[in-house]
Amino acid sequence: MNTNYVYQNKDAFSQKKVLNIKELESILKNLKQYEAKIKEIEIQIEEYKDMQGLCLKGINYENIIRTNNIFSKTEMQVMEDTELQNKIELLEYEKRHLERFIKRVWNAIDSLTELEKQIIQKKYIENKIWRYITFDINLEERQCREIKNKTLSKILNILKTSD
C-alpha cells in the first residue's frame, strides 16, 4: 500500500478538509489496507520496545570508563533509548489516528440501512462488479447505482457532522 496515500487521506480528516465523493470511494476501497497498516504499526512498536529493552540491559554502570570522548557509552545508550522512545510515541500516535479514522468510517457505514450497507459492502469492500451486486440484491443496476450515489452522499454528510 502506498503510505503517502494513507497520510493524504488521514490528513483530510485531521485538517478538517471537506471530502468529495471520489476521495470517499477511494477510502472505502482501501479500508482493508488501513487496517493492515495499523497491524504493521503495532509490529513496529513491538520491535522498538524489544530494542529498547535490550538497550537498557546493555548499560553496565560498574565498568564506566572515563574517556575524553564527548559522550560516554552510557550517555550514548541513554540517547539511543530516548530516540527509540520518541519513535514508539510517534508510531502510537499514528496508530491512534488511523484507528479513529477507521472507526469514523465504519460508524458512518453502520448508520446505513441494510440495503445501503449491502451495496457499499459489495461494491467497495468486496470489490464486486455491478452484475454480481444486482444479482445478489435483486435490483436493476440503475437502481443500485442510484442507491450507491445517495448512500455516498449520506456517508459524506455523516463524516462532516462528526468534525
Side-chain angles (χ1 to χ4, degrees):
M1 174 179 68
N2 182 352
T3 55
N4 289 335
Y5 172 79
V6 170
Y7 294 116
Q8 289 168 358
N9 284 304
K10 180 174 73 169
D11 290 342
F13 286 101
S14 64
Q15 296 174 358
K16 308 294 186 208
K17 178 186 167 208
V18 177
L19 292 173
N20 63 37
I21 297 288
K22 289 287 181 199
E23 290 170 325
L24 178 59
E25 287 179 310
S26 187
I27 289 167
L28 291 170
K29 287 178 183 175
N30 289 292
L31 276 176
K32 288 181 182 176
Q33 282 83 5
Y34 285 113
E35 291 167 350
K37 177 67 177 167
I38 289 172
K39 289 179 182 169
E40 177 59 31
I41 290 171
E42 289 171 350
I43 292 168
Q44 287 178 338
I45 290 170
E46 287 176 27
E47 288 175 353
Y48 283 140
K49 285 183 178 180
D50 285 347
M51 289 170 56
Q52 193 177 35
L54 291 174
C55 290
L56 292 174
K57 291 176 185 172
I59 297 175
N60 185 352
Y61 296 102
E62 295 172 3
N63 296 326
I64 295 178
I65 300 171
R66 298 280 177 212
T67 65
N68 290 333
N69 292 338
I70 296 174
F71 297 110
S72 70
K73 226 177 172 181
T74 305
E75 290 169 327
M76 291 296 290
Q77 201 64 54
V78 169
M79 287 172 37
E80 286 178 29
D81 185 50
T82 304
E83 186 179 323
L84 285 172
Q85 185 60 38
N86 289 340
K87 288 179 182 180
I88 290 169
E89 289 171 5
L90 188 62
L91 285 170
E92 286 173 340
Y93 170 79
E94 182 181 353
K95 178 183 172 230
R96 285 191 308 272
H97 192 79
L98 282 170
E99 286 172 336
R100 283 190 300 267
F101 168 70
I102 290 172
K103 282 180 186 176
R104 290 180 65 211
V105 174
W106 280 114
N107 180 54
I109 292 170
D110 287 342
S111 70
L112 303 173
T113 66
E114 280 308 310
L115 179 61
E116 292 169 335
K117 276 186 205 178
Q118 280 184 326
I119 291 173
I120 295 300
Q121 180 82 23
K122 291 177 187 306
K123 182 66 183 162
Y124 296 106
I125 314 303
E126 297 173 18
N127 202 23
K128 288 189 174 182
I129 60 174
W130 284 115
R131 183 177 348 141
Y132 296 115
I133 296 170
T134 56
F135 179 78
D136 288 346
I137 295 177
N138 200 22
L139 289 175
E140 292 180 16
E141 183 176 333
R142 179 188 53 76
Q143 292 172 303
C144 287
R145 285 181 185 271
E146 286 175 13
I147 293 169
K148 177 205 69 143
N149 291 335
K150 288 179 185 176
T151 302
L152 290 175
S153 295
K154 195 174 178 180
I155 292 172
L156 277 177
N157 286 331
I158 292 168
L159 292 174
K160 285 178 191 175
T161 57
S162 64
D163 282 342

PDB file of all heavy atoms in Angstrom, residues 119-146:
ATOM      1  N   ILE A 119     -24.953  -2.701  -0.544  1.00  0.00           N
ATOM      2  CA  ILE A 119     -24.406  -2.153  -1.790  1.00  0.00           C
ATOM      3  C   ILE A 119     -22.996  -1.618  -1.564  1.00  0.00           C
ATOM      4  O   ILE A 119     -22.074  -1.905  -2.342  1.00  0.00           O
ATOM      5  CB  ILE A 119     -25.352  -1.084  -2.381  1.00  0.00           C
ATOM      6  CG1 ILE A 119     -26.632  -1.770  -2.888  1.00  0.00           C
ATOM      7  CG2 ILE A 119     -24.662  -0.293  -3.494  1.00  0.00           C
ATOM      8  CD1 ILE A 119     -27.720  -0.841  -3.346  1.00  0.00           C
ATOM      9  N   ILE A 120     -22.793  -0.852  -0.495  1.00  0.00           N
ATOM     10  CA  ILE A 120     -21.458  -0.304  -0.198  1.00  0.00           C
ATOM     11  C   ILE A 120     -20.467  -1.430   0.092  1.00  0.00           C
ATOM     12  O   ILE A 120     -19.344  -1.425  -0.412  1.00  0.00           O
ATOM     13  CB  ILE A 120     -21.539   0.695   0.982  1.00  0.00           C
ATOM     14  CG1 ILE A 120     -22.371   1.928   0.610  1.00  0.00           C
ATOM     15  CG2 ILE A 120     -20.146   1.096   1.461  1.00  0.00           C
ATOM     16  CD1 ILE A 120     -21.844   2.731  -0.566  1.00  0.00           C
ATOM     17  N   GLN A 121     -20.905  -2.390   0.877  1.00  0.00           N
ATOM     18  CA  GLN A 121     -20.043  -3.531   1.223  1.00  0.00           C
ATOM     19  C   GLN A 121     -19.612  -4.286  -0.029  1.00  0.00           C
ATOM     20  O   GLN A 121     -18.429  -4.570  -0.230  1.00  0.00           O
ATOM     21  CB  GLN A 121     -20.789  -4.472   2.183  1.00  0.00           C
ATOM     22  CG  GLN A 121     -20.023  -5.681   2.619  1.00  0.00           C
ATOM     23  CD  GLN A 121     -19.079  -5.412   3.764  1.00  0.00           C
ATOM     24  OE1 GLN A 121     -19.258  -4.474   4.520  1.00  0.00           O
ATOM     25  NE2 GLN A 121     -18.073  -6.257   3.890  1.00  0.00           N
ATOM     26  N   LYS A 122     -20.567  -4.616  -0.871  1.00  0.00           N
ATOM     27  CA  LYS A 122     -20.258  -5.408  -2.062  1.00  0.00           C
ATOM     28  C   LYS A 122     -19.435  -4.611  -3.082  1.00  0.00           C
ATOM     29  O   LYS A 122     -18.510  -5.138  -3.687  1.00  0.00           O
ATOM     30  CB  LYS A 122     -21.546  -5.934  -2.694  1.00  0.00           C
ATOM     31  CG  LYS A 122     -22.223  -6.991  -1.840  1.00  0.00           C
ATOM     32  CD  LYS A 122     -23.527  -7.450  -2.450  1.00  0.00           C
ATOM     33  CE  LYS A 122     -24.302  -8.369  -1.542  1.00  0.00           C
ATOM     34  NZ  LYS A 122     -23.570  -9.526  -1.067  1.00  0.00           N
ATOM     35  N   LYS A 123     -19.781  -3.340  -3.265  1.00  0.00           N
ATOM     36  CA  LYS A 123     -19.105  -2.530  -4.279  1.00  0.00           C
ATOM     37  C   LYS A 123     -17.678  -2.167  -3.869  1.00  0.00           C
ATOM     38  O   LYS A 123     -16.758  -2.261  -4.674  1.00  0.00           O
ATOM     39  CB  LYS A 123     -19.918  -1.258  -4.551  1.00  0.00           C
ATOM     40  CG  LYS A 123     -19.315  -0.371  -5.620  1.00  0.00           C
ATOM     41  CD  LYS A 123     -19.348  -1.047  -6.965  1.00  0.00           C
ATOM     42  CE  LYS A 123     -18.679  -0.202  -8.030  1.00  0.00           C
ATOM     43  NZ  LYS A 123     -18.331  -0.976  -9.201  1.00  0.00           N
ATOM     44  N   TYR A 124     -17.496  -1.743  -2.617  1.00  0.00           N
ATOM     45  CA  TYR A 124     -16.198  -1.208  -2.222  1.00  0.00           C
ATOM     46  C   TYR A 124     -15.353  -2.176  -1.389  1.00  0.00           C
ATOM     47  O   TYR A 124     -14.172  -2.333  -1.657  1.00  0.00           O
ATOM     48  CB  TYR A 124     -16.385   0.115  -1.471  1.00  0.00           C
ATOM     49  CG  TYR A 124     -16.993   1.158  -2.366  1.00  0.00           C
ATOM     50  CD1 TYR A 124     -18.318   1.543  -2.219  1.00  0.00           C
ATOM     51  CD2 TYR A 124     -16.252   1.730  -3.392  1.00  0.00           C
ATOM     52  CE1 TYR A 124     -18.886   2.489  -3.058  1.00  0.00           C
ATOM     53  CE2 TYR A 124     -16.816   2.668  -4.240  1.00  0.00           C
ATOM     54  CZ  TYR A 124     -18.133   3.043  -4.065  1.00  0.00           C
ATOM     55  OH  TYR A 124     -18.692   3.955  -4.908  1.00  0.00           O
ATOM     56  N   ILE A 125     -15.945  -2.807  -0.409  1.00  0.00           N
ATOM     57  CA  ILE A 125     -15.156  -3.682   0.465  1.00  0.00           C
ATOM     58  C   ILE A 125     -14.838  -4.998  -0.253  1.00  0.00           C
ATOM     59  O   ILE A 125     -13.704  -5.458  -0.251  1.00  0.00           O
ATOM     60  CB  ILE A 125     -15.892  -3.980   1.799  1.00  0.00           C
ATOM     61  CG1 ILE A 125     -16.496  -2.745   2.458  1.00  0.00           C
ATOM     62  CG2 ILE A 125     -15.015  -4.777   2.752  1.00  0.00           C
ATOM     63  CD1 ILE A 125     -15.718  -1.591   2.810  1.00  0.00           C
ATOM     64  N   GLU A 126     -15.875  -5.599  -0.864  1.00  0.00           N
ATOM     65  CA  GLU A 126     -15.681  -6.868  -1.572  1.00  0.00           C
ATOM     66  C   GLU A 126     -15.236  -6.664  -3.011  1.00  0.00           C
ATOM     67  O   GLU A 126     -14.872  -7.617  -3.693  1.00  0.00           O
ATOM     68  CB  GLU A 126     -16.979  -7.684  -1.532  1.00  0.00           C
ATOM     69  CG  GLU A 126     -17.397  -8.070  -0.123  1.00  0.00           C
ATOM     70  CD  GLU A 126     -18.775  -8.726  -0.066  1.00  0.00           C
ATOM     71  OE1 GLU A 126     -19.269  -9.189  -1.122  1.00  0.00           O
ATOM     72  OE2 GLU A 126     -19.354  -8.770   1.028  1.00  0.00           O
ATOM     73  N   ASN A 127     -15.323  -5.437  -3.520  1.00  0.00           N
ATOM     74  CA  ASN A 127     -14.882  -5.064  -4.864  1.00  0.00           C
ATOM     75  C   ASN A 127     -15.579  -5.878  -5.966  1.00  0.00           C
ATOM     76  O   ASN A 127     -14.957  -6.310  -6.929  1.00  0.00           O
ATOM     77  CB  ASN A 127     -13.364  -5.184  -4.970  1.00  0.00           C
ATOM     78  CG  ASN A 127     -12.812  -4.342  -6.089  1.00  0.00           C
ATOM     79  OD1 ASN A 127     -13.424  -3.372  -6.514  1.00  0.00           O
ATOM     80  ND2 ASN A 127     -11.653  -4.726  -6.589  1.00  0.00           N
ATOM     81  N   LYS A 128     -16.869  -6.075  -5.794  1.00  0.00           N
ATOM     82  CA  LYS A 128     -17.641  -6.827  -6.791  1.00  0.00           C
ATOM     83  C   LYS A 128     -18.092  -5.911  -7.927  1.00  0.00           C
ATOM     84  O   LYS A 128     -18.270  -4.710  -7.733  1.00  0.00           O
ATOM     85  CB  LYS A 128     -18.872  -7.471  -6.149  1.00  0.00           C
ATOM     86  CG  LYS A 128     -18.536  -8.639  -5.248  1.00  0.00           C
ATOM     87  CD  LYS A 128     -19.789  -9.370  -4.831  1.00  0.00           C
ATOM     88  CE  LYS A 128     -19.440 -10.622  -4.046  1.00  0.00           C
ATOM     89  NZ  LYS A 128     -20.641 -11.374  -3.683  1.00  0.00           N
ATOM     90  N   ILE A 129     -18.329  -6.509  -9.093  1.00  0.00           N
ATOM     91  CA  ILE A 129     -18.838  -5.735 -10.217  1.00  0.00           C
ATOM     92  C   ILE A 129     -20.365  -5.682 -10.131  1.00  0.00           C
ATOM     93  O   ILE A 129     -20.997  -6.477  -9.435  1.00  0.00           O
ATOM     94  CB  ILE A 129     -18.368  -6.314 -11.580  1.00  0.00           C
ATOM     95  CG1 ILE A 129     -18.851  -7.754 -11.753  1.00  0.00           C
ATOM     96  CG2 ILE A 129     -16.850  -6.207 -11.709  1.00  0.00           C
ATOM     97  CD1 ILE A 129     -18.543  -8.339 -13.120  1.00  0.00           C
ATOM     98  N   TRP A 130     -20.954  -4.738 -10.869  1.00  0.00           N
ATOM     99  CA  TRP A 130     -22.400  -4.494 -10.756  1.00  0.00           C
ATOM    100  C   TRP A 130     -23.234  -5.728 -11.084  1.00  0.00           C
ATOM    101  O   TRP A 130     -24.275  -5.953 -10.472  1.00  0.00           O
ATOM    102  CB  TRP A 130     -22.820  -3.324 -11.642  1.00  0.00           C
ATOM    103  CG  TRP A 130     -22.425  -2.012 -11.047  1.00  0.00           C
ATOM    104  CD1 TRP A 130     -21.521  -1.117 -11.550  1.00  0.00           C
ATOM    105  CD2 TRP A 130     -22.896  -1.443  -9.829  1.00  0.00           C
ATOM    106  NE1 TRP A 130     -21.406  -0.037 -10.711  1.00  0.00           N
ATOM    107  CE2 TRP A 130     -22.249  -0.215  -9.647  1.00  0.00           C
ATOM    108  CE3 TRP A 130     -23.803  -1.861  -8.857  1.00  0.00           C
ATOM    109  CZ2 TRP A 130     -22.481   0.606  -8.545  1.00  0.00           C
ATOM    110  CZ3 TRP A 130     -24.037  -1.046  -7.764  1.00  0.00           C
ATOM    111  CH2 TRP A 130     -23.378   0.170  -7.617  1.00  0.00           C
ATOM    112  N   ARG A 131     -22.794  -6.529 -12.020  1.00  0.00           N
ATOM    113  CA  ARG A 131     -23.560  -7.719 -12.397  1.00  0.00           C
ATOM    114  C   ARG A 131     -23.813  -8.620 -11.188  1.00  0.00           C
ATOM    115  O   ARG A 131     -24.912  -9.111 -10.974  1.00  0.00           O
ATOM    116  CB  ARG A 131     -22.827  -8.486 -13.497  1.00  0.00           C
ATOM    117  CG  ARG A 131     -23.581  -9.680 -14.004  1.00  0.00           C
ATOM    118  CD  ARG A 131     -22.901 -10.397 -15.150  1.00  0.00           C
ATOM    119  NE  ARG A 131     -21.792  -9.655 -15.740  1.00  0.00           N
ATOM    120  CZ  ARG A 131     -20.656 -10.214 -16.154  1.00  0.00           C
ATOM    121  NH1 ARG A 131     -20.467 -11.498 -16.056  1.00  0.00           N
ATOM    122  NH2 ARG A 131     -19.706  -9.494 -16.689  1.00  0.00           N
ATOM    123  N   TYR A 132     -22.771  -8.842 -10.378  1.00  0.00           N
ATOM    124  CA  TYR A 132     -22.908  -9.693  -9.191  1.00  0.00           C
ATOM    125  C   TYR A 132     -23.716  -9.008  -8.091  1.00  0.00           C
ATOM    126  O   TYR A 132     -24.484  -9.646  -7.377  1.00  0.00           O
ATOM    127  CB  TYR A 132     -21.537 -10.116  -8.667  1.00  0.00           C
ATOM    128  CG  TYR A 132     -20.788 -10.977  -9.650  1.00  0.00           C
ATOM    129  CD1 TYR A 132     -19.615 -10.542 -10.226  1.00  0.00           C
ATOM    130  CD2 TYR A 132     -21.278 -12.230 -10.008  1.00  0.00           C
ATOM    131  CE1 TYR A 132     -18.931 -11.333 -11.146  1.00  0.00           C
ATOM    132  CE2 TYR A 132     -20.602 -13.031 -10.921  1.00  0.00           C
ATOM    133  CZ  TYR A 132     -19.435 -12.580 -11.484  1.00  0.00           C
ATOM    134  OH  TYR A 132     -18.768 -13.362 -12.382  1.00  0.00           O
ATOM    135  N   ILE A 133     -23.509  -7.707  -7.959  1.00  0.00           N
ATOM    136  CA  ILE A 133     -24.246  -6.959  -6.936  1.00  0.00           C
ATOM    137  C   ILE A 133     -25.746  -7.001  -7.238  1.00  0.00           C
ATOM    138  O   ILE A 133     -26.554  -7.284  -6.349  1.00  0.00           O
ATOM    139  CB  ILE A 133     -23.746  -5.500  -6.859  1.00  0.00           C
ATOM    140  CG1 ILE A 133     -22.286  -5.477  -6.409  1.00  0.00           C
ATOM    141  CG2 ILE A 133     -24.623  -4.675  -5.913  1.00  0.00           C
ATOM    142  CD1 ILE A 133     -21.623  -4.125  -6.518  1.00  0.00           C
ATOM    143  N   THR A 134     -26.107  -6.737  -8.488  1.00  0.00           N
ATOM    144  CA  THR A 134     -27.536  -6.720  -8.844  1.00  0.00           C
ATOM    145  C   THR A 134     -28.152  -8.104  -8.680  1.00  0.00           C
ATOM    146  O   THR A 134     -29.310  -8.221  -8.285  1.00  0.00           O
ATOM    147  CB  THR A 134     -27.749  -6.221 -10.290  1.00  0.00           C
ATOM    148  OG1 THR A 134     -26.993  -7.030 -11.192  1.00  0.00           O
ATOM    149  CG2 THR A 134     -27.346  -4.765 -10.431  1.00  0.00           C
ATOM    150  N   PHE A 135     -27.384  -9.129  -8.971  1.00  0.00           N
ATOM    151  CA  PHE A 135     -27.885 -10.493  -8.790  1.00  0.00           C
ATOM    152  C   PHE A 135     -28.119 -10.789  -7.306  1.00  0.00           C
ATOM    153  O   PHE A 135     -29.165 -11.324  -6.924  1.00  0.00           O
ATOM    154  CB  PHE A 135     -26.895 -11.508  -9.380  1.00  0.00           C
ATOM    155  CG  PHE A 135     -27.329 -12.932  -9.211  1.00  0.00           C
ATOM    156  CD1 PHE A 135     -28.303 -13.480 -10.026  1.00  0.00           C
ATOM    157  CD2 PHE A 135     -26.769 -13.721  -8.212  1.00  0.00           C
ATOM    158  CE1 PHE A 135     -28.717 -14.800  -9.853  1.00  0.00           C
ATOM    159  CE2 PHE A 135     -27.168 -15.036  -8.030  1.00  0.00           C
ATOM    160  CZ  PHE A 135     -28.150 -15.582  -8.852  1.00  0.00           C
ATOM    161  N   ASP A 136     -27.155 -10.419  -6.463  1.00  0.00           N
ATOM    162  CA  ASP A 136     -27.266 -10.665  -5.021  1.00  0.00           C
ATOM    163  C   ASP A 136     -28.412  -9.884  -4.391  1.00  0.00           C
ATOM    164  O   ASP A 136     -29.122 -10.391  -3.524  1.00  0.00           O
ATOM    165  CB  ASP A 136     -25.967 -10.288  -4.302  1.00  0.00           C
ATOM    166  CG  ASP A 136     -24.834 -11.264  -4.586  1.00  0.00           C
ATOM    167  OD1 ASP A 136     -25.107 -12.357  -5.119  1.00  0.00           O
ATOM    168  OD2 ASP A 136     -23.676 -10.918  -4.269  1.00  0.00           O
ATOM    169  N   ILE A 137     -28.591  -8.651  -4.817  1.00  0.00           N
ATOM    170  CA  ILE A 137     -29.580  -7.774  -4.192  1.00  0.00           C
ATOM    171  C   ILE A 137     -30.945  -7.870  -4.867  1.00  0.00           C
ATOM    172  O   ILE A 137     -31.959  -7.522  -4.281  1.00  0.00           O
ATOM    173  CB  ILE A 137     -29.051  -6.326  -4.188  1.00  0.00           C
ATOM    174  CG1 ILE A 137     -27.812  -6.270  -3.296  1.00  0.00           C
ATOM    175  CG2 ILE A 137     -30.088  -5.340  -3.700  1.00  0.00           C
ATOM    176  CD1 ILE A 137     -27.138  -4.952  -3.248  1.00  0.00           C
ATOM    177  N   ASN A 138     -30.952  -8.336  -6.093  1.00  0.00           N
ATOM    178  CA  ASN A 138     -32.192  -8.492  -6.861  1.00  0.00           C
ATOM    179  C   ASN A 138     -32.816  -7.149  -7.220  1.00  0.00           C
ATOM    180  O   ASN A 138     -34.020  -6.949  -7.090  1.00  0.00           O
ATOM    181  CB  ASN A 138     -33.184  -9.392  -6.120  1.00  0.00           C
ATOM    182  CG  ASN A 138     -34.225  -9.959  -7.060  1.00  0.00           C
ATOM    183  OD1 ASN A 138     -34.004 -10.039  -8.264  1.00  0.00           O
ATOM    184  ND2 ASN A 138     -35.374 -10.340  -6.511  1.00  0.00           N
ATOM    185  N   LEU A 139     -31.966  -6.228  -7.670  1.00  0.00           N
ATOM    186  CA  LEU A 139     -32.407  -4.937  -8.185  1.00  0.00           C
ATOM    187  C   LEU A 139     -31.683  -4.680  -9.500  1.00  0.00           C
ATOM    188  O   LEU A 139     -30.647  -5.277  -9.773  1.00  0.00           O
ATOM    189  CB  LEU A 139     -32.057  -3.810  -7.213  1.00  0.00           C
ATOM    190  CG  LEU A 139     -32.837  -3.724  -5.908  1.00  0.00           C
ATOM    191  CD1 LEU A 139     -32.254  -2.622  -5.026  1.00  0.00           C
ATOM    192  CD2 LEU A 139     -34.313  -3.474  -6.157  1.00  0.00           C
ATOM    193  N   GLU A 140     -32.219  -3.751 -10.278  1.00  0.00           N
ATOM    194  CA  GLU A 140     -31.552  -3.380 -11.530  1.00  0.00           C
ATOM    195  C   GLU A 140     -30.306  -2.562 -11.231  1.00  0.00           C
ATOM    196  O   GLU A 140     -30.204  -1.906 -10.184  1.00  0.00           O
ATOM    197  CB  GLU A 140     -32.503  -2.551 -12.399  1.00  0.00           C
ATOM    198  CG  GLU A 140     -33.690  -3.321 -12.930  1.00  0.00           C
ATOM    199  CD  GLU A 140     -34.606  -2.449 -13.781  1.00  0.00           C
ATOM    200  OE1 GLU A 140     -34.169  -1.351 -14.205  1.00  0.00           O
ATOM    201  OE2 GLU A 140     -35.735  -2.890 -14.007  1.00  0.00           O
ATOM    202  N   GLU A 141     -29.369  -2.589 -12.178  1.00  0.00           N
ATOM    203  CA  GLU A 141     -28.116  -1.863 -11.988  1.00  0.00           C
ATOM    204  C   GLU A 141     -28.361  -0.371 -11.779  1.00  0.00           C
ATOM    205  O   GLU A 141     -27.742   0.264 -10.925  1.00  0.00           O
ATOM    206  CB  GLU A 141     -27.184  -2.070 -13.189  1.00  0.00           C
ATOM    207  CG  GLU A 141     -25.844  -1.399 -13.010  1.00  0.00           C
ATOM    208  CD  GLU A 141     -24.883  -1.669 -14.144  1.00  0.00           C
ATOM    209  OE1 GLU A 141     -24.992  -2.720 -14.807  1.00  0.00           O
ATOM    210  OE2 GLU A 141     -23.992  -0.817 -14.346  1.00  0.00           O
ATOM    211  N   ARG A 142     -29.280   0.204 -12.529  1.00  0.00           N
ATOM    212  CA  ARG A 142     -29.605   1.630 -12.411  1.00  0.00           C
ATOM    213  C   ARG A 142     -30.052   1.965 -10.988  1.00  0.00           C
ATOM    214  O   ARG A 142     -29.612   2.950 -10.404  1.00  0.00           O
ATOM    215  CB  ARG A 142     -30.687   2.007 -13.423  1.00  0.00           C
ATOM    216  CG  ARG A 142     -31.120   3.451 -13.389  1.00  0.00           C
ATOM    217  CD  ARG A 142     -32.324   3.723 -14.289  1.00  0.00           C
ATOM    218  NE  ARG A 142     -33.472   2.853 -14.045  1.00  0.00           N
ATOM    219  CZ  ARG A 142     -34.322   2.966 -12.997  1.00  0.00           C
ATOM    220  NH1 ARG A 142     -34.125   3.891 -12.099  1.00  0.00           N
ATOM    221  NH2 ARG A 142     -35.341   2.147 -12.866  1.00  0.00           N
ATOM    222  N   GLN A 143     -30.884   1.103 -10.428  1.00  0.00           N
ATOM    223  CA  GLN A 143     -31.363   1.324  -9.063  1.00  0.00           C
ATOM    224  C   GLN A 143     -30.214   1.221  -8.054  1.00  0.00           C
ATOM    225  O   GLN A 143     -30.120   2.036  -7.132  1.00  0.00           O
ATOM    226  CB  GLN A 143     -32.445   0.292  -8.704  1.00  0.00           C
ATOM    227  CG  GLN A 143     -33.737   0.462  -9.474  1.00  0.00           C
ATOM    228  CD  GLN A 143     -34.684  -0.709  -9.224  1.00  0.00           C
ATOM    229  OE1 GLN A 143     -34.314  -1.861  -9.471  1.00  0.00           O
ATOM    230  NE2 GLN A 143     -35.877  -0.400  -8.733  1.00  0.00           N
ATOM    231  N   CYS A 144     -29.375   0.228  -8.258  1.00  0.00           N
ATOM    232  CA  CYS A 144     -28.226   0.046  -7.357  1.00  0.00           C
ATOM    233  C   CYS A 144     -27.292   1.249  -7.401  1.00  0.00           C
ATOM    234  O   CYS A 144     -26.802   1.719  -6.370  1.00  0.00           O
ATOM    235  CB  CYS A 144     -27.461  -1.219  -7.715  1.00  0.00           C
ATOM    236  SG  CYS A 144     -28.309  -2.735  -7.258  1.00  0.00           S
ATOM    237  N   ARG A 145     -27.050   1.758  -8.606  1.00  0.00           N
ATOM    238  CA  ARG A 145     -26.175   2.922  -8.754  1.00  0.00           C
ATOM    239  C   ARG A 145     -26.781   4.157  -8.073  1.00  0.00           C
ATOM    240  O   ARG A 145     -26.064   4.938  -7.441  1.00  0.00           O
ATOM    241  CB  ARG A 145     -25.902   3.218 -10.224  1.00  0.00           C
ATOM    242  CG  ARG A 145     -24.930   2.255 -10.865  1.00  0.00           C
ATOM    243  CD  ARG A 145     -24.708   2.641 -12.336  1.00  0.00           C
ATOM    244  NE  ARG A 145     -23.887   1.683 -13.015  1.00  0.00           N
ATOM    245  CZ  ARG A 145     -22.548   1.741 -13.079  1.00  0.00           C
ATOM    246  NH1 ARG A 145     -21.904   2.703 -12.465  1.00  0.00           N
ATOM    247  NH2 ARG A 145     -21.866   0.831 -13.734  1.00  0.00           N
ATOM    248  N   GLU A 146     -28.075   4.334  -8.222  1.00  0.00           N
ATOM    249  CA  GLU A 146     -28.748   5.466  -7.566  1.00  0.00           C
ATOM    250  C   GLU A 146     -28.628   5.358  -6.048  1.00  0.00           C
ATOM    251  O   GLU A 146     -28.328   6.341  -5.366  1.00  0.00           O
ATOM    252  CB  GLU A 146     -30.225   5.532  -7.967  1.00  0.00           C
ATOM    253  CG  GLU A 146     -30.466   6.028  -9.373  1.00  0.00           C
ATOM    254  CD  GLU A 146     -31.943   5.960  -9.784  1.00  0.00           C
ATOM    255  OE1 GLU A 146     -32.816   5.756  -8.909  1.00  0.00           O
ATOM    256  OE2 GLU A 146     -32.212   6.123 -10.980  1.00  0.00           O
TER     257      GLU A 146
END
